[in-house]
Amino acid sequence: GINAEYGELSPDDMGERTTVHDGATARDDPGKMDIIVDAEIRDIGCSAKLGLLCYGCSKFDLERSYLYLRENSVESNISYKMCCCLGFCQAQDWVQVQYFDRPPLAGGCAPCPAPCCFCCERQQPKFEVVDLGCMCCLKRCPNGLCFSSCCDQQLLVIMPFETY
């Protein structure tokens, strides 16, 4: 029943879902959600840390943050802690779930350049690692140049379409 002291529901208070899941929200086993990959999260770069510090005196929480590739979606949590008088307070979470049958992960028509307004070709999105450095005098220079140890050198992005 309901926990009178805290006003919480227990799992026994909720009925099991009987409505069929549609599309990518469907699971292989309705009783559980399989995690295919629990990706290793790396610490954020100096510029992102500075941004969090300026935005409400916050600190990235690496231990609480995660990225799961699930059987039907990608789930991520970017967690941070707000500063308090006596240190850092409770963690704040920014959880996102993107299903494979919805943009930006769903395949679909690549838009044609203006003035055409129709589908040019069917495309399949993919994950790609982007190198954030640049070329200078035929040599690769790291992102951030002199401050490259503070700057991310690669970024994982979702590329919705290969061509435009």
Side-chain angles (χ1 to χ4, degrees):
I2 295 178
N3 184 333
E5 184 178 350
Y6 297 107
E8 297 175 353
L9 290 173
S10 73
D12 297 332
D13 296 323
M14 295 179 252
E16 188 69 29
R17 182 181 174 116
T18 57
T19 306
V20 177
H21 282 276
D22 186 33
T25 61
R27 300 186 310 256
D28 290 338
D29 180 351
K32 65 180 177 145
M33 177 69 69
D34 284 337
I35 295 175
I36 309 302
V37 175
D38 182 358
E40 184 65 36
I41 301 294
R42 67 178 185 199
D43 201 5
I44 59 176
C46 295
S47 58
K49 286 181 183 178
L50 183 60
L52 274 175
L53 192 60
C54 293
Y55 172 73
C57 185
S58 301
K59 176 184 177 221
F60 179 65
D61 188 353
L62 181 64
E63 290 76 27
R64 191 169 171 82
S65 299
Y66 61 83
L67 177 68
Y68 296 150
L69 175 60
R70 303 187 313 191
E71 63 184 82
N72 61 358
S73 59
V74 175
E75 178 180 340
S76 64
N77 179 28
I78 299 171
S79 185
Y80 60 94
K81 294 180 180 177
M82 304 284 286
C83 296
C84 292
C85 303
L86 304 172
F88 288 99
C89 292
Q90 180 177 352
Q92 303 293 314
D93 295 310
W94 184 42
V95 178
Q96 289 185 304
V97 176
Q98 295 180 318
Y99 289 94
F100 296 144
D101 67 343
R102 303 260 191 243
L105 300 178
C109 293
C112 290
C116 301
C117 298
F118 54 88
C119 180
C120 286
E121 61 181 278
R122 187 144 182 87
Q123 297 280 335
Q124 185 64 38
K126 65 179 184 175
F127 289 99
E128 187 162 296
V129 176
V130 175
D131 183 350
L132 299 175
C134 62
M135 294 298 290
C136 181
C137 300
L138 301 176
K139 184 175 190 257
R140 186 199 176 275
C141 296
N143 183 32
L145 300 174
C146 297
F147 302 101
S148 62
S149 62
C150 270
C151 299
D152 290 331
Q153 298 302 314
Q154 294 180 327
L155 183 66
L156 179 67
V157 297
I158 299 170
M159 190 164 61
F161 303 107
E162 186 72 38
T163 57
Y164 182 66

